[in-house]
Every structure is written in C-alpha cells, then in structure tokens.
Amino acid sequence: MRERVRARIEELHPQIVERRRDLHRHPELGFEERRTAGIVAEWLGALGLEVRAGVAGTGVVGRLRGLATSSGARRTIALRADMDALPVQDKKRGPLASEVAGKMHACGHDAHTAMLLGAASVLAELRDELPGDVVFLFQPAEEGPGGAEPMIAAGALDGVDMILGQHCQPSLPVGEIGVSRGAALAATDAFELTIHGVGGHGAYPHLATDAIVVAAQVVMALQTIVARNLDPLASAVVTIGTIHGGYNFNVIADVVELRGTVRTLDPHLRDAMPARIEAIAAGVCAAHGARHELEYHRKYPPTINHEVGVALVRRVAGEVLGAANVRELPPSMGGEDFAYYLQEVPGCFYWLGARHPHPEQEGYALHSPHFDIDEEALKVGVQLLVEGALEHLLKGAGPNAAA
Ligand code: NI
C-alpha cells in the first residue's frame, strides 16, 4: 500500500502546491478564516466526508468513515491543521506574496492546511480498506487567542483515540522530521504588572516615589527566578516584553506598566511561577514604599507528547524517511495550542523539515516577513499524515491487534 500512497501523492502534488499558494496569497487572521474554511469545507465535501463547518467559529471538522470491517477495536484518529495567518507584512516579492496588506502566512499554516487536504484526498480513496475513522481537524486561531480549546468543547475529539499534528520547521531540511519525547513545547503564560509610586517634580525626588526606579529593580529582580530559584536542570523563561511609564524628562513617574511572558515545560513549575513573580514585585515595592498589581494569564499549557504517539510517529517516519532522518529534538520554549488536544487524547506533535532551498538569502525563520518553505516538504507531510493514520487504524484491526 505504501507505494500506492506515494504514487498517488506524487500525482496530487501539483494540486496541493496550487492550494498552498492560493492560501498563502490570501491569509486570514485567527477567527477570520472564512475564505479558508470555505475552501476546506468544499474540498472535504467533494470527497464525500461528513463535514461540520462553523465549529468554534471558523473551524471545520471532516469525518471519513472507513468501510472495512474490523475484528479488533475500531479506532478513530484525528489529524489536525491550523489555518490562521499572522499580522505580519509580507516582504517577499513575486507571485507568491500575500495579497493582503499586513497579513501573512509567516508560520506555514497555509502549508499545514494544504497538506491535510491532500491527506484527506488520499485517505478518502482508501476508505474501503480503512477499518476505522479519520477525523480531519482544521482549526482557527492557533496564533491566538486559540482555536483548539473551543474546537474540543464543540466535540471535535468525540470518539478520537489518537491525534497527530505537524508543523513546518525551517531549520530542518526536507526529508527529515523532529520529534520530542514528552514535552515538545512550553506553556505560554503572560502577565501585566503595574507599579504605582507617587509622581512629582524631577528636581524633588524626596517628595515622590519614583515608579521608574522601582520598576527597574523589579525587572532585574525577576531575572533571579530563572537564575537563582530554579533547579538548573529545569527550564523556564521570564521575559519582560514591554515597559511603559513616564511623561517628561523632568517629571517623576507615578506609574509604570510592564508586560511579560513566562514559559515553562513542567506543569508544577508552571503553577509555581505566579507566586514567585508576586513575591518579588511585592518585596521590591515594599522596600521603596510603592505598591503593585499583578494580573496573570494562563494561556496555552505545555505541549506534552504521549509515548504511544511518539512511538507511532517514529515508527512510521522511520519506515517512510529512514531512521537516520528522524531527529530527536529537545523541547522548544515556543508554544502551541495543540497542547489542549494532548490533554484529552494520546498523540504526538512533530516538526516537518521544510527548509527553503535558499535560506541563506533572507533567513526564512518562522514568523519572519520572508518566511517560505520548500514545497517538496508538502509531499513528505501528506505522506506522514496518511501513513500515520493507516498505521493507527490497521494496527488495531487485524488478528495481530494485540501486538
Ligand atoms: Ni505555527
């Protein structure tokens, strides 16, 4: 069957490339993916899938019911793509460039969507041989505020017992993938910290409480969480991304607002971070007679792969790409709302090698205004999705199911 799948993907490749380029030229931000969702729903409908559109706003769920009978447990695997673009101005030139000012597929979600459509086409043609179902999840707003959680609430994972998701990775060449055992990506929490002093004349500091001086010490003291409070073998990031305060060169500021992000891989460490930030802010402020307010926002949880999902991806990718091309990667401190699916069902999120053929020209990093991929990666991505689904469904079906 593998050769048949490979040949079919080869035939479909021009269509998948064309679809990806069209989506690339027409990027839509999170929860605005109406054009994209329309294309997806039409494609899945034409394949004869059961299609639910408008899931969690602009999400689309397609279900392919396999027609083969199963002597073992009947399984259902979900394959997920994200559809949203970023508020980035495309700096590429030429026919592929975004046609929408200030919006761009700078994270490859156009490719993710096109690959999942390709996988749906291939698997739909194999439905007579599938002893289980495949659910195709096209979710909105991965870049924020998050489409996975509302998709799950809307029943996207009903009956699903395995989920796979892939993401283009420009640091890996086409033909390689990267998989992390356990934690793959970090929790992406955020906070706003406001420091209140007493304003005054720049010449009379003794009559004021300078919120800027206090804020400067808070910023530095927060660095000690990672440097001095954490086990050196644990991982976390505390980044202050913005700091705003003050009115004029000769005025002492009464208030400074800080915003930051906190990244953690371990759920217990994640839980402990707000109290550390609170204690440091409170202590520094108290030392200077200032006060503070902390607002802490728990965003995406850490993306933690399941051993059974990692094993599935490694086995399939090892056979399709060769074991030497399956790289074991350490976790990244970036985040992904795929995390929510993995809190519900076993699965794996992996990186698909997609390095552009000419990366030296413009640094094709994720979220860069020059981001682009090698479209040969689309073939590999479709094949891994298809083979992953076949492996999961067929393994549960036959007399050897116990293996
Ligand atoms: Ni992304």
Side-chain angles (χ1 to χ4, degrees):
M1 190 184 288
R2 181 154 296 143
E3 270 321 300
R4 199 151 43 109
V5 165
R6 200 190 295 270
R8 186 68 183 112
I9 292 170
E10 205 61 54
E11 277 173 20
L12 282 170
H13 190 241
Q15 273 186 62
I16 297 164
V17 167
E18 185 191 1
R19 182 45 56 210
R20 179 257 163 173
R21 291 181 183 178
D22 172 72
L23 295 174
H24 196 85
R25 286 192 297 267
H26 300 96
E28 297 173 298
L29 300 182
F31 292 124
E32 296 173 1
E33 306 94 334
R34 279 175 282 278
R35 178 182 184 275
T36 308
I39 289 166
V40 167
E42 196 182 319
W43 182 296
L44 299 181
L47 297 174
L49 271 60
E50 295 166 21
V51 181
R52 278 174 69 205
V55 181
T58 45
V60 182
V61 178
R63 180 176 281 265
L64 173 66
R65 292 198 188 275
L67 300 177
T69 51
S70 163
S71 57
R74 198 176 162 84
R75 296 182 169 193
T76 299
I77 186 167
L79 306 174
R80 173 271 208 170
D82 39 15
M83 301 189 290
D84 56 318
L86 282 159
V88 168
Q89 177 62 44
D90 195 341
K91 291 192 177 164
K92 283 194 303 296
R93 286 158 205 258
L96 183 59
S98 169
E99 294 178 10
V100 185
K103 297 178 188 175
M104 179 189 172
H105 271 295
C107 200
H109 299 187
D110 51 336
H112 305 165
T113 300
M115 287 188 284
L116 191 52
L117 291 174
S121 291
V122 176
L123 286 164
E125 291 165 11
L126 298 173
R127 81 177 67 203
D128 289 346
E129 297 164 61
L130 298 182
D133 295 354
V134 186
V135 172
F136 299 88
L137 299 181
F138 293 85
Q139 74 151 77
E142 191 286 320
E143 299 289 356
E149 204 176 15
M151 289 276 285
I152 294 166
L157 289 180
D158 288 357
V160 170
D161 49 52
M162 173 64 71
I163 185 164
L164 300 180
Q166 59 184 7
H167 200 296
C168 291
Q169 179 49 264
S171 70
L172 293 176
V174 173
E176 290 187 11
I177 68 159
V179 193
S180 302
R181 295 183 195 274
L185 290 136
T188 59
D189 300 332
F191 64 89
E192 286 136 40
L193 179 60
T194 308
I195 291 168
H196 297 278
V198 177
H201 195 298
Y204 312 128
H206 56 298
L207 302 178
T209 302
D210 190 341
I212 285 182
V213 168
V214 179
Q217 293 185 28
V218 168
V219 170
M220 295 311 293
L222 288 175
Q223 306 312 308
T224 64
I225 298 176
V226 172
R228 302 286 82 183
N229 297 148
L230 244 64
D231 181 328
L233 299 180
S235 296
V237 178
V238 178
T239 291
I240 302 293
T242 72
I243 175 163
H244 290 117
Y247 309 100
N248 202 9
F249 77 100
N250 59 354
V251 176
I252 289 175
D254 58 342
V255 60
V256 173
E257 290 168 344
L258 310 159
R259 289 194 298 141
T261 186
V262 177
R263 305 297 172 105
T264 48
L265 299 169
D266 175 61
H268 300 292
L269 183 54
R270 182 192 191 199
D271 291 342
M273 293 302 270
R276 269 320 288 150
I277 293 172
E278 171 67 30
I280 286 173
V284 173
C285 284
H288 298 280
R291 63 183 181 82
H292 78 285
E293 292 159 61
L294 176 66
E295 272 190 55
Y296 204 89
H297 309 281
R298 287 167 71 93
K299 299 200 168 198
Y300 300 165
T303 301
I304 300 178
N305 285 333
H306 296 244
E307 191 49 52
V308 61
V310 171
L312 172 66
V313 167
R314 292 186 66 92
R315 195 163 61 242
V316 167
E319 287 169 14
V320 170
L321 305 173
N325 293 316
V326 181
R327 304 266 293 266
E328 182 153 346
L329 294 186
S332 148
M333 299 310 273
E336 242 293 341
D337 75 348
F338 195 81
Y340 290 103
Y341 302 115
L342 293 179
Q343 287 185 334
E344 302 295 321
V345 294
C348 181
F349 184 81
Y350 60 92
W351 299 102
L352 176 71
R355 182 187 295 160
H356 193 275
H358 305 291
E360 67 283 357
Q361 288 176 7
E362 287 286 7
Y364 290 92
L366 292 172
H367 294 202
S368 148
H370 298 281
F371 178 77
D372 198 4
I373 61 164
D374 184 338
E375 289 173 330
E376 286 296 299
L378 300 173
K379 281 183 206 171
V380 180
V382 174
Q383 194 176 5
L384 292 173
L385 292 171
V386 170
E387 295 287 354
L390 293 175
E391 172 81 5
H392 181 68
L393 296 184
L394 294 170
K395 204 180 80 175
N400 300 323

